[in-house]
């Protein structure tokens, strides 16, 4: 606001609780300042047509209110970046395009922001390049519009100082280290890159997912050994010792930085992204934000090196520090940290962002997505040239080109140096946490209640509030109408439960006026329970504050909810086109249907949580998927045994979780399933990608699922004995499934047995076992003298961790606890890649009861068949066969475990072994074989050999004569047995081979690698490099543009001339022969011409002597070196 001749400042006054507004711009019209009546005193000073700043508390008139125009929500981090000036100065709200309102929400990680962009909770956001890559691979409805920065050294793996290198994190007589990181973030990517580059896998390190705030708390508590983090969290770990320890080796130490990982070709940065809807409808606002952000970065690039505008004691630096710390008065150390952290980032100019040789964001995105796929973060393969155009199109350069054309100016206005924006915070104390959570008795007139916060404050963090709403008349139905819901998805939200504790509805996120929520009404008369829960993170909105939290009205009515809603619809009057809560499905002989959303609706709802209890008056229920197109690996339809609702679908968690029978994800229709009735079916989705991605990489326009069910009393599909896998009791009752699922139990005590990842057949016939599947086999062996277990795998094709992949696929064996569930640590682990596929494990068993668990991860980059496993107990000093044993003849082979009781099945006679591979021998049979067969055979062989020997001797006599003639025809042949050089010559030099370091994602493209990551140069280039090395040259150029490289032989570096990207070199020298091994020849005889060349003799060379002198010298030539 421009004043004519006045500067207005407040001398005293405080902001309302929960809001901090510093250096606020005061807007006035004419001479009416619009000031409220209060005890504030104002000092007015003459000025001259300048933009005036009012240092006063937030006025009541400035409290959060509905925006007159477009409400723009932007996700940001607590990073120390130049664009913090845009946020804290409130520049966008002071200089609007039209009548829009700008609000910045601080996000815990980019992995959560991508879901908010896709679902509409955010319009634009700063994202790490890897969350953006994950969103792009999952076909999220968003695009990158600029590159905010490259990470440089702003992120790192920080650990306790006792760990010197990544391999120290893996167990070596001690427990493996616990490393934390926000999921799907750039630091998650860095953590995986460090693990992969160290040739470890995900089983070597305990990788846990935490927010930055949780990381700091866990470091202080000593419950993690390190973290991949950024900004405040990283600096906190470096500044504060682990667990408060005074030990030197418990100080925080940066082990690997983002810049080091970038040298391995794992490049990371931040992008600015916008939702597809916001781009389509508000392109001008997209460009406006991009231009504002780019202007601050432009100023930092120019002035941070040439002036003190960004010095650690500058106003700009303090504004960024206040943004990062949310403190009115950052400490001197915090300002210094801010200054240093700003310098750790690499900010690209607008021009460089548009140049592929400076940053190829589409390729970087696709490569990052593929690495996430290999490391089990993504389910679908994003690689392939056919998908490359999609990644190119997903980087919308329109706005960068516009900014480039308009040009950028340096920051000059005083407003940039001040904090003008209000910050939304929770009111002081816990007065806003569940203050109205009581038991209400409601009538038809209704009662309104809320979360307890009042605008413009933030709602309370760490809340778990419960309201019990009872109708005034017990036969009436409670109706809940949600009139406001503004929360952070996916954790903060509202749930409604019926009087029996079943979930009626669950909502989360920012549901604005454009979203109409249904009325929630219990299907049974009586009380309902409303629950409001939040985590401990506060988004701390900055800018135009919104009214957050929830508000609802409860009333009682005579009408029950409509029970005739079409499949996939919900709400008291079937007005909602998506499933909600738990529904009791009636038993029916004819097929009924359950759906994720109404027929004709293209995508299911984000953050869905729906359940169906399917009961039956008959013994079995049949389930048949007729449609299935849900996001692979992220959204699931699960089928549980019995009628008990699993955790998340009832007000109180069940005493014991129901057994999972089957899980479906992706778009491959499973066969018809038959289970013992009743069953409980659930459907859950996250906030991103609410449909399947087809094989061509495009989203399926008909997302969701359709599942038909019916009761069965008898069927040809149901086996009479109810089993599918031999004597294992399988959860599948019709044997149609070709892969294992759920829990299988083998009754009784058996000294041996077998099980398979394929149901009803051998894994040899399988194509690829399913991802995200858990199978368990419960078995018991005799426990008398039990000393361990032995396993053999006739088929063992399980994914193994390697150079490019890190998998957790394995079969783990546990002892059963008192409740029958796995207890304690695994007593045996069978991993993919083990060859031969046989294992013996010795341990002290507490009983003979065990459970084998096979849990597959998110994908198999290469199809894997699975396994057939045979097991047996080990007793005493003998191995698997000593207590009954068994034979492997059924699987081929020659009775690797000889046996007695199953010998007929093997087609022969086997005996209990005295050791694992040594059977007892029948001596009578042995003598008969020796004297009856072998002795006569030896006689025949002896006679034949005598005749053959006489014939050969005749041939040799003639060949010796020929050889004598050849030998006599040569003056002299000699083989060198000692290296000799003339006295005037040095020993012969060694040779060298040169290599360059390849990045991990591309190792598979080379066939001649030197482990772990070295690619050899061709012979001519290697020779040229060795020559330059020997001659001490500083540089040498190889290749031709655009692939020309400058080599620094002494520094062992290769630099791409176009991009400046560096790679390490390796020189592998074969050591020169030591002087002690080379005999220096005698001086040349005086009668020999000085120009006559002298030979250097290497061991193994052959020389032909033409003339030998009496003094020991000879003339000759080298025939073979």
């Amino acid at each position: 606001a421009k004043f004519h001749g006045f500067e207005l400042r407040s001398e005293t006054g405080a902001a309302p609780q929960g809001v901090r507004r510093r250096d606020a711009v005061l807007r006035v019209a004419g001479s009416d300042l619009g000031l409220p009546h209060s005890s504030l005193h104002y000092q007015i000073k003459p000025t001259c047509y300048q933009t005036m700043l009012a240092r006063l508390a937030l006025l009541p008139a400035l409290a959060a209110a509905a925006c007159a125009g477009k409400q723009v929500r932007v996700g940001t981090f607590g990073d120390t970046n130049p664009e913090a000036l845009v946020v804290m100065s409130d520049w966008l709200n002071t200089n609007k395009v039209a009548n829009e309102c700008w609000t910045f929400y601080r996000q815990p990680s980019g992995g959560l922001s991508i879901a908010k962009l896709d679902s509409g909770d955010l319009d634009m956001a700063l994202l790490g390049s890897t969350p953006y890559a994950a969103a792009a691979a999952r076909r999220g409805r968003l695009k990158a519009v600029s590159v905010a920065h490259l990470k440089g050294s702003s992120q790192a793996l920080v650990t306790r100082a006792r760990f010197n290198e990544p391999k120290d994190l893996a167990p070596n007589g001690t427990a493996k280290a616990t490393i934390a990181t926000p999921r799907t973030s750039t630091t998650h990517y860095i953590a995986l890159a460090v693990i992969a580059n160290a040739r470890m896998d995900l089983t070597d390190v305990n990788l846990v997912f935490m927010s930055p705030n949780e990381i700091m708390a866990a470091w202080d508590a000593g419950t993690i050994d390190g973290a991949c983090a950024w900004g405040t969290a990283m600096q906190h770990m470096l500044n504060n010792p682990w667990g408060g320890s005074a030990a030197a080796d418990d100080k925080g130490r940066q082990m690997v930085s983002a810049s080091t990982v970038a040298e391995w070709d794992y490049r990371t940065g931040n992008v600015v992204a916008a939702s597809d809807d916001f781009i389509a409808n508000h392109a001008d606002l997209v460009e406006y934000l991009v231009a504002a952000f780019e202007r601050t970065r432009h100023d930092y690039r120019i002035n941070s090196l040439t002036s003190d505008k960004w010095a650690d004691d500058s106003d700009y630096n303090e504004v960024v520090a206040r943004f990062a710390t949310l403190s009115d008065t950052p400490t001197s150390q915090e300002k210094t940290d801010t200054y240093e952290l700003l310098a750790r980032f690499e900010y690209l100019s607008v021009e460089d962002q548009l140049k592929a040789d400076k940053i190829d964001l589409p390729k970087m995105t696709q490569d990052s997505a593929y690495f996430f796929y290999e490391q089990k973060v993504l389910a679908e393969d994003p690689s392939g040239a056919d998908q490359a155009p999609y990644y190119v199109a997903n980087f919308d350069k329109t706005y960068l080109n516009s900014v480039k054309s308009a040009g950028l100016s340096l920051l000059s206005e005083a407003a940039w140096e001040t904090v003008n924006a209000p910050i939304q915070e929770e009111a002081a104390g816990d007065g806003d946490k569940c203050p109205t959570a009581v038991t209400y008795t409601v009538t038809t007139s209704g009662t309104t209640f809320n979360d307890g916060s009042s605008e413009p404050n933030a709602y309370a963090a760490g809340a778990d509030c419960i309201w019990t709403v009872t109708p005034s008349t017990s036969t009436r139905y409670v109706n809940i109408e949600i009139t406001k819901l503004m929360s952070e998805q996916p954790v903060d939200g509202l749930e409604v439960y019926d009087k029996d504790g079943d979930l009626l509805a669950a909502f989360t996120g920012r549901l604005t006026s454009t979203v109409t929520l249904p009325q929630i009404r219990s299907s049974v008369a009586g009380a309902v329970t409303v629950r409001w829960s939040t985590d401990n993170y506060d988004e701390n909105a900055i800018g135009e504050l919104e009214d957050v939290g929830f508000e609802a009205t409860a009333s009682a009515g005579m009408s029950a909810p409509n029970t005739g809603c079409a499949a996939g619809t919900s709400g008291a009057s079937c007005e909602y086109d998506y499933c909600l809560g738990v529904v009791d499905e009636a038993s029916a002989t004819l097929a009924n249907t359950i759906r994720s959303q109404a027929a004709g609706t293209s995508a299911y709802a984000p953050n869905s949580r729906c359940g169906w209890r399917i009961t039956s008056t008959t013994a079995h229920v049949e389930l048949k998927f007729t449609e299935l197109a849900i996001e692979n690996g992220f959204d699931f339809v699960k089928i549980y045994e019995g009628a008990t609702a699993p955790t998340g679908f009832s007000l109180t968690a069940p005493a014991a979780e129901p057994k999972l029978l089957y899980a479906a994800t992706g778009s491959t229709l499973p066969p018809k399933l038959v289970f013992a009735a009743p069953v409980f079916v659930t459907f859950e989705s996250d906030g991103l990608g609410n449909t399947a991605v087809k094989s061509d990489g495009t989203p399926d326009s008909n997302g969701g699922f359709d599942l038909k069910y019916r009761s069965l009393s008898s069927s040809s599909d149901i086996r009479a004995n109810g089993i599918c896998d031999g004597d294992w009791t399988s959860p599948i009752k019709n044997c149609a499934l070709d892969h294992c699922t759920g829990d299988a139990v083998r009754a009784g005590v058996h000294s041996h047995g077998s099980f398979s990842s394929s149901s009803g057949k051998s894994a040899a016939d399988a194509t690829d076992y399913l991802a995200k599947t858990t199978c368990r086999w419960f078995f018991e062996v005799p426990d008398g003298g039990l000393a361990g277990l032995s396993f053999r795998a006739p088929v063992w094709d399980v994914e193994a961790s390697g150079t490019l992949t890190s998998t957790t696929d394995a079969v783990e064996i546990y002892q059963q606890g008192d409740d029958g569930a796995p207890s304690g640590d695994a007593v045996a682990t069978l991993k993919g890649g083990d060859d031969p596929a046989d294992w013996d494990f010795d341990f002290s068993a507490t009983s003979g009861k065990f459970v084998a668990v096979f849990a597959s991860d998110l994908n198999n980059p290469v199809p894997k068949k699975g396994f057939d496993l045979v097991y047996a107990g080990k007793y005493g000093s003998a191995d698997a066969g000593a207590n009954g044993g068994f034979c492997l003849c059924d699987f081929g082979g020659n009775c690797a475990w000889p046996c007695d009781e199953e010998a007929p099945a093997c087609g022969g006679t086997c005996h209990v072994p005295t050791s694992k591979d040594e059977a007892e021998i029948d001596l009578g049979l042995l003598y008969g074989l020796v004297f009856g067969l072998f002795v006569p055979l030896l006689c025949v062989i002896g006679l034949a050999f005598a005749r053959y020997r006489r014939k050969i001797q005749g041939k040799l006599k003639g060949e010796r004569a020929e050889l004598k003639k050849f030998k006599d025809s040569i003056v002299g042949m000699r083989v060198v047995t000692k290296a000799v050089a003339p006295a005037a010559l040095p020993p012969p030099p060694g040779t060298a081979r040169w290599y360059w370091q390849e990045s991990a994602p591309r190792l598979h493209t080379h066939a001649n690698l030197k482990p772990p990551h070295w690619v050899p140069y061709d012979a001519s280039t290697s020779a040229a490099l060795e020559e330059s090395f020997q001659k001490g040259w500083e540089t040498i150029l190889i290749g031709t543009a655009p692939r020309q490289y400058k080599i620094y032989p002494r520094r062992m570096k290769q630099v791409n001339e176009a991009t400046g990207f560096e790679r390490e070199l390796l020189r592998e020298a074969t050591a020169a022969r030591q002087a002690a091994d080379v005999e220096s020849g005698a001086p040349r005889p005086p009668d020999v011409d000085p120009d006559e060349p002298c030979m250097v003799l290497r061991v193994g060379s052959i020389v032909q002597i033409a003339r030998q002198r009496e003094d020991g010298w000879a003339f000759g030539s080298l025939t073979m070196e």
Side-chain angles (χ1 to χ4, degrees), residues 1079-1099:
E1079 183 177 299
S1080 181
R1084 181 189 304 259
D1087 60 330
V1088 175
D1089 189 338
D1091 294 330
E1092 184 76 33
C1094 293
M1095 284 191 287
V1096 175
L1097 303 182
R1098 292 186 173 89
V1099 174

Side-chain angles (χ1 to χ4, degrees), residues 493-513:
L494 198 64
E495 300 166 334
V496 183
Y497 297 89
D498 69 16
K499 71 173 186 177
D500 297 323
D502 279 346
L503 179 69
L504 291 173
F507 297 106
T508 183
R510 298 184 236 280
L511 303 180
T512 62
S513 58

Side-chain angles (χ1 to χ4, degrees), residues 74 81-95 102 104 288-297 310 319-320 323 411 415-421 542-543:
V74 183
N81 288 130
E83 60 264 20
L85 300 186
V86 176
V87 180
M88 298 301 280
S89 68
D90 213 22
W91 190 85
L92 293 171
N93 284 316
T94 306
N95 303 274
W102 296 86
F104 292 86
Y288 198 51
L289 181 70
V290 169
F293 277 6
E294 288 300 332
R295 189 180 174 197
T296 62
R297 296 173 195 139
W310 292 88
V319 171
V320 177
F323 171 77
L411 304 179
W416 295 107
E417 302 174 356
T418 54
V419 176
N420 299 321
I542 304 174

